[in-house]
Amino acid sequence: MGPDAWAEAKRILAVRLDTIGDVLMTTPAIRALKHSVEGRRVTLLTSTPGADIAHLVPEVDEALVHDPVWMKHTPRRDGPGEERAIVAALKERRFDAAVIFTVYSQNPLPSALLCHMAGIPLRLAHCRENPYQLLTDWIPEPEPENGVRHEVRRQLDLVAEVGAVTADDTLSLKVPAVARRRAMRSLAKAGVDVQRRWIVVHPGATAPSRRYPPERFAVVGRHLARSEGYQVVFTGTEAEKPLVQKIRAAMGAPSHSVAGMLALADFAAVIEAAPVIVSNNSGPVHVAAAVDTPVVDLYALTNPQHTPWEVPNLVLSHKVPCAYCYKSECPKGHHQCLRLVEPDEVVDAVHQLVRRASIRPIRSAGAAL
């Protein structure tokens, strides 16, 4: 249909059925949609974890939750009842247009069918096969045959096809002041003195293939705590508490943990206040990018599109012939793209980012409040 038809669309549905990091990497494109037409509202249809972060994105006016059967982390269920319910919810809101955001390995057509059944007249997506009437604005899928773009760039390019552009391509996340206060209380409760040197370490990741070995995290933490005098602060979900406890026990040096203690907004506030974060390639890397915190990214070579976006960073991995396998489990079983990253490399990366940060004021809890 093209940009002219989209210029009249005031009620936009953005579909991003992935998790926290994917939603954050879509926020520049959502900003472009929001601000390209005066008075436009954007509703985000996303997963349960995606909705948690959507509430911290100013450009999102409303978040709807749907965990569809065609996404890999959705629990098994019988019957199409939830799909019928979301179609009814979408129909009730009378959207003018829908943008379906995917990575190139995902098929947009199930989401396009939902939007078609909801009567949304304009529907935009990348698609590998001919969608016929399911998409009114079909952008043929160029990846990976014609190269792979960063996830942020991919989504900005998509919405540009219908005239939505922005001069600000940074990730969007607004940390509430109340979350900052709660975060500082949680750090204090964990024994962290934020007026002294401290660093966040996030050792978890949903996919096993993206996890740096716990014993190596322990070596990194020991060196930072003993030799460098850092307060090492571990973060993680409730489910990741045993992993954090295992690493802390193996460190043989003092450390602190707020794992399982923080709501998502509070976690974002901790990352915002931290001088540097060390993390696997997971959602916290993109939270750090959104709040402008330097990040050491232990980057498993499962895919190339998700490196930290427009934030001081050092990406660490070990080159392997099987790079970019797109697997949640290491198909070779050796996990060498991460396992062969030496702890000394991680510690050196922290030093480099701290030195870079010394050019500008190091943020403290006071700066975050």
Side-chain angles (χ1 to χ4, degrees):
M1 301 288 287
D4 290 346
W6 283 76
E8 303 299 321
K10 293 295 184 73
R11 298 181 299 276
I12 302 291
L13 178 69
V15 181
R16 187 76 213 232
L17 296 170
D18 298 283
T19 56
I20 289 171
D22 304 288
V23 169
L24 284 174
M25 287 186 286
T26 309
T27 55
I30 293 173
R31 180 185 298 117
L33 286 169
K34 173 82 172 177
H35 297 308
S36 292
V37 173
E38 186 176 356
R40 180 175 271 179
R41 286 179 52 86
V42 177
T43 296
L44 178 65
L45 177 63
T46 188
S47 66
T48 298
D52 288 341
I53 202 71
H55 297 304
L56 303 178
V57 178
E59 291 83 359
V60 173
D61 295 294
E62 179 188 22
L64 298 176
V65 178
H66 182 51
D67 295 300
V69 294
W70 58 88
M71 301 300 287
K72 66 180 179 180
H73 294 302
T74 299
R76 185 175 295 277
R77 64 173 186 258
D78 297 322
E82 293 193 28
E83 276 63 45
R84 288 173 177 153
I86 197 64
V87 167
L90 298 180
K91 185 177 294 187
E92 179 182 346
R93 284 163 174 79
R94 301 175 62 86
F95 291 108
D96 300 316
V99 182
I100 300 162
F101 295 105
T102 59
V103 298
Y104 75 72
S105 59
Q106 293 172 333
N107 190 329
L109 296 184
S111 296
L113 180 60
L114 290 185
C115 296
H116 171 68
M117 293 175 66
I120 302 175
L122 299 174
R123 302 174 298 277
L124 166 71
H126 287 109
C127 192
R128 194 170 304 283
E129 59 208 49
N130 191 331
Y132 297 100
Q133 297 178 56
L134 281 181
L135 294 176
T136 59
D137 294 82
W138 170 31
I139 309 304
E141 179 59 74
E143 301 182 44
E145 293 83 2
N146 296 318
V148 176
R149 295 164 287 183
H150 193 283
E151 184 70 11
V152 173
R153 176 49 52 197
R154 171 182 171 85
Q155 310 310 347
L156 283 169
D157 289 348
L158 177 65
V159 298
E161 295 282 350
V162 293
V165 296
T166 178
D168 179 5
D169 63 359
T170 57
L171 305 190
S172 181
L173 191 158
K174 184 175 178 60
V175 179
V178 65
R180 291 179 173 134
R181 292 191 290 271
R182 288 195 304 259
M184 294 307 115
R185 288 197 293 267
S186 295
L187 287 169
K189 184 178 179 180
V192 181
D193 179 357
V194 292
Q195 301 305 320
R196 294 176 44 229
R197 284 155 58 95
W198 64 294
I199 189 168
V200 167
V201 176
H202 189 92
T206 53
S209 60
R210 290 189 279 116
R211 298 176 195 155
Y212 191 56
E215 64 274 14
R216 298 216 144 192
F217 265 122
V219 175
V220 171
R222 181 186 311 127
H223 192 106
L224 289 171
R226 280 187 176 175
S227 303
E228 309 300 331
Y230 280 97
Q231 298 169 97
V232 178
V233 182
F234 287 94
T235 56
T237 64
E238 181 69 28
E240 290 166 342
K241 285 174 68 174
L243 169 65
V244 169
Q245 291 166 356
K246 177 180 179 180
I247 295 169
R248 294 181 72 197
M251 275 178 60
S255 66
H256 310 266
S257 174
V258 290
M261 294 173 57
L262 305 173
L264 183 57
D266 303 0
F267 171 75
V270 167
I271 300 308
E272 182 186 50
V276 175
I277 176 175
V278 179
S279 176
N280 294 315
N281 179 38
S282 189
V285 165
H286 308 298
V287 173
V291 297
D292 196 32
T293 292
V295 55
V296 177
D297 189 350
L298 290 154
Y299 197 93
L301 296 178
T302 54
N303 60 292
Q305 310 104 306
H306 297 162
T307 51
W309 182 258
E310 295 197 355
V311 67
N313 71 86
L314 286 170
V315 174
L316 303 181
S317 59
H318 184 83
K319 292 183 179 179
V320 289
C322 52
Y324 308 135
C325 63
Y326 287 88
K327 300 295 184 183
S328 295
E329 302 269 356
C330 176
K332 301 292 186 181
H334 54 55
H335 205 196
Q336 289 183 351
C337 62
L338 276 184
R339 185 171 293 279
L340 295 183
V341 175
E342 295 294 336
D344 286 349
E345 296 178 63
V346 183
V347 173
D348 183 63
V350 170
H351 290 334
Q352 290 186 52
L353 287 180
V354 169
R355 284 196 296 269
R356 291 183 196 177
S358 67
I359 299 172
R360 58 182 183 177
I362 294 289
R363 289 171 298 171
S364 68
L369 291 173

